[in-house]
C-alpha cells in the first residue's frame, strides 16, 4: 500500500490498480500520481493506493488471479471464508472501508485500440441520491467521457467500484486506454483525470485541469451490435469517433474476401474501443460504444 498524507485533515481518496493482471497502465498512473504528490505536496487529506493488486495475474500476463480463471473484480465485497478471490476481495474491501474513504478510483485498461473513459454504475445501483450525485460530480471533474454500464451482458455486480458504491461511498472506474503494455498516452490521460479530481476536492493546488468538467449526463455503454458470423473483421470506424445510428461500424469477410456481414450502429454515440483480434465468431463482442439515449 502507498500512502501520501497531508498534515491537514481532509478527504481520503483511494487508487486501486491492476486488479486485472494484464491491465498494467493503472500501476504506472499510481507511480506518476505519487511521484507528483511527493514533489508538489498534498494540501489536505490523504491519497492511498494499492498499486498492483493482482500480482499473480501480472506475472502470468493474465486478467485472472489463478488457473481457475477467477476474476477478482467479480468477487466483491468478498467473503473471508469464500474462494481465493473472495478472500482477497474481502481483505481489500475491509482495508479500504476502514479508512472511511471519500472516493475510490479503480484503474483499468481496455482493448488495445480504445480511448480513455469513465465507467459508472447504472443509476439503479446507487443506494441513495446523495451517493449518486457525489459520484457523478467527482467523475465529471476528471474531464473524461462518462459512460454508465447498462448492458445486460455486462452487469457490474460484484466489482470493487460497485461494492464501494453499495456501501454509500462514491466510486468509479477509469478505463485508461489499451491493456498489456504501458501505453503512455493512456497513462497521461488517467494521471490528469486523477489530478483533476484531487484538485476539485481541494487536495492539491498545483495542477490546472486542461479541460472543463462536463455537466452532461453519462452515455450508455454497450457491446452491441454483436457479431453473428465468423471470419476476419475489418473496422470502418476508429476509437473516439462520433457515429450515427445505422452507420457501418465493421464488416466481416470470409477467407476468400466475400462479405459475410456488416455491423451497423444501433444508436448515435461514440466508439470507445475495438476488439483486439481479427478472427471473430458468432456472438462475439467486437466493439464498445457509448450510446446517446
Ligand atoms: Zn479491467
Amino acid at each position: 500500500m502507498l500512502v501520501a498524507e497531508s498534515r491537514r485533515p481532509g478527504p481520503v481518496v483511494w487508487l486501486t490498480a491492476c486488479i486485472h493482471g494484464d491491465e498494467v497502465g493503472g500501476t504506472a498512473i499510481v507511480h506518476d500520481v505519487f511521484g507528483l504528490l511527493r514533489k508538489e505536496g498534498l494540501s489536505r487529506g490523504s491519497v492511498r493506493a494499492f498499486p498492483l493488486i493482482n500480482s499473480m495475474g501480472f506475472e502470468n500476463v493474465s486478467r485472472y488471479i489463478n488457473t481457475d480463471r477467477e476474476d477478482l473484480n467479480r468477487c466483491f465485497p468478498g467473503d473471508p471464508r469464500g474462494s481465493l478471490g473472495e478472500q482477497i476481495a474481502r481483505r481489500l474491501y475491509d482495508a479500504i472501508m476502514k479508512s472511511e474513504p471519500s472516493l475510490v478510483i479503480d484503474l483499468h485498461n481496455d482493448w488495445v485500440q480504445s480511448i480513455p473513459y469513465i465507467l459508472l454504475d447504472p443509476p439503479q445501483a446507487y443506494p441513495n441520491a446523495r451517493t449518486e450525485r457525489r459520484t457523478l460530480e467527482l467523475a465529471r471533474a476528471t474531464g473524461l467521457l462518462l459512460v454508465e454500464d447498462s448492458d445486460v451482458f455486462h452487469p457490474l455486480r460484484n466489482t470493487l467500484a460497485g461494492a464501494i458504491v453499495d456501501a454509500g461511498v462514491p466510486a468509479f472506474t477509469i478505463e485508461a486506454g489499451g491493456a498489456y503494455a504501458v501505453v503512455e498516452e493512456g497513462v497521461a490521460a488517467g494521471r490528469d483525470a486523477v489530478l483533476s479530481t484531487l484538485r476539485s476536492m481541494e487536495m492539491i493546488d498545483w495542477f490546472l485541469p486542461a479541460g472543463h468538467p462536463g455537466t452532461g449526463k453519462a452515455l450508455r455503454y454497450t457491446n452491441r451490435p454483436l457479431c453473428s458470423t465468423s471470419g476476419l473483421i475489418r473496422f470502418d470506424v476508429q476509437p473516439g469517433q462520433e457515429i450515427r445510428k445505422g452507420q457501418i461500424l465493421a464488416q466481416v469477410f470470409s477467407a476468400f474476401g466475400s462479405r459475410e456481414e456488416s455491423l451497423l450502429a444501433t444508436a448515435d454515440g461514440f466508439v470507445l474501443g475495438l476488439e483486439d483480434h481479427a478472427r471473430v465468431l458468432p456472438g462475439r463482442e467486437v466493439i464498445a460504444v457509448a450510446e446517446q439515449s
Side-chain angles (χ1 to χ4, degrees), residues 72-88:
L72 185 54
N73 206 30
R74 300 292 181 276
C75 292
F76 285 89
D79 179 349
R81 271 182 286 280
S83 66
L84 178 63
E86 287 169 334
Q87 293 191 28
I88 297 171

Side-chain angles (χ1 to χ4, degrees), residues 19-20 23 63 73 108-109 175:
I19 203 166
H20 291 140
E23 299 177 17
R63 174 184 180 88
N73 206 30
H108 285 251
N109 295 95
E175 297 282 353

Side-chain angles (χ1 to χ4, degrees), residues 13-166:
V13 174
W14 278 89
L15 305 176
T16 49
C18 204
I19 203 166
H20 291 140
D22 53 2
E23 299 177 17
V24 293
T27 302
I29 292 172
V30 170
H31 294 171
D32 286 3
V33 167
F34 273 78
L36 286 164
L37 290 174
R38 269 183 228 117
K39 193 162 148 249
E40 308 286 347
L42 186 65
S43 313
R44 64 182 191 126
S46 71
V47 180
R48 292 154 188 255
F50 287 124
L52 204 160
I53 290 175
N54 184 354
S55 53
M56 289 172 277
F58 178 75
E59 289 184 359
N60 292 306
V61 195
S62 163
R63 174 184 180 88
Y64 306 102
I65 49 168
N66 51 27
T67 46
D68 288 350
R69 296 172 70 82
E70 198 174 14
D71 186 334
L72 185 54
N73 206 30
R74 300 292 181 276
C75 292
F76 285 89
D79 179 349
R81 271 182 286 280
S83 66
L84 178 63
E86 287 169 334
Q87 293 191 28
I88 297 171
R90 191 70 205 188
R91 291 186 63 180
L92 293 168
Y93 179 82
D94 285 346
I96 292 170
M97 291 309 291
K98 214 176 89 187
S99 70
E100 296 179 21
S102 316
L103 170 66
V104 177
I105 303 178
D106 193 23
L107 301 166
H108 285 251
N109 295 95
D110 208 344
W111 280 323
V112 169
Q113 300 185 74
S114 61
I115 57 163
Y117 63 95
I118 303 291
L119 196 58
L120 293 162
D121 272 305
Q124 65 271 21
Y126 294 91
N128 54 57
R130 202 191 137 270
T131 308
E132 183 183 9
R133 195 176 351 99
R134 186 66 181 142
T135 301
L136 264 164
E137 212 170 81
L138 293 168
R140 282 189 186 117
T142 63
L144 294 177
L145 183 69
L146 303 191
V147 185
E148 72 190 25
D149 203 293
S150 58
D151 198 310
V152 288
F153 297 116
H154 273 278
L156 279 185
R157 303 291 323 156
N158 307 116
T159 63
L160 171 58
I164 298 289
V165 159
D166 253 352

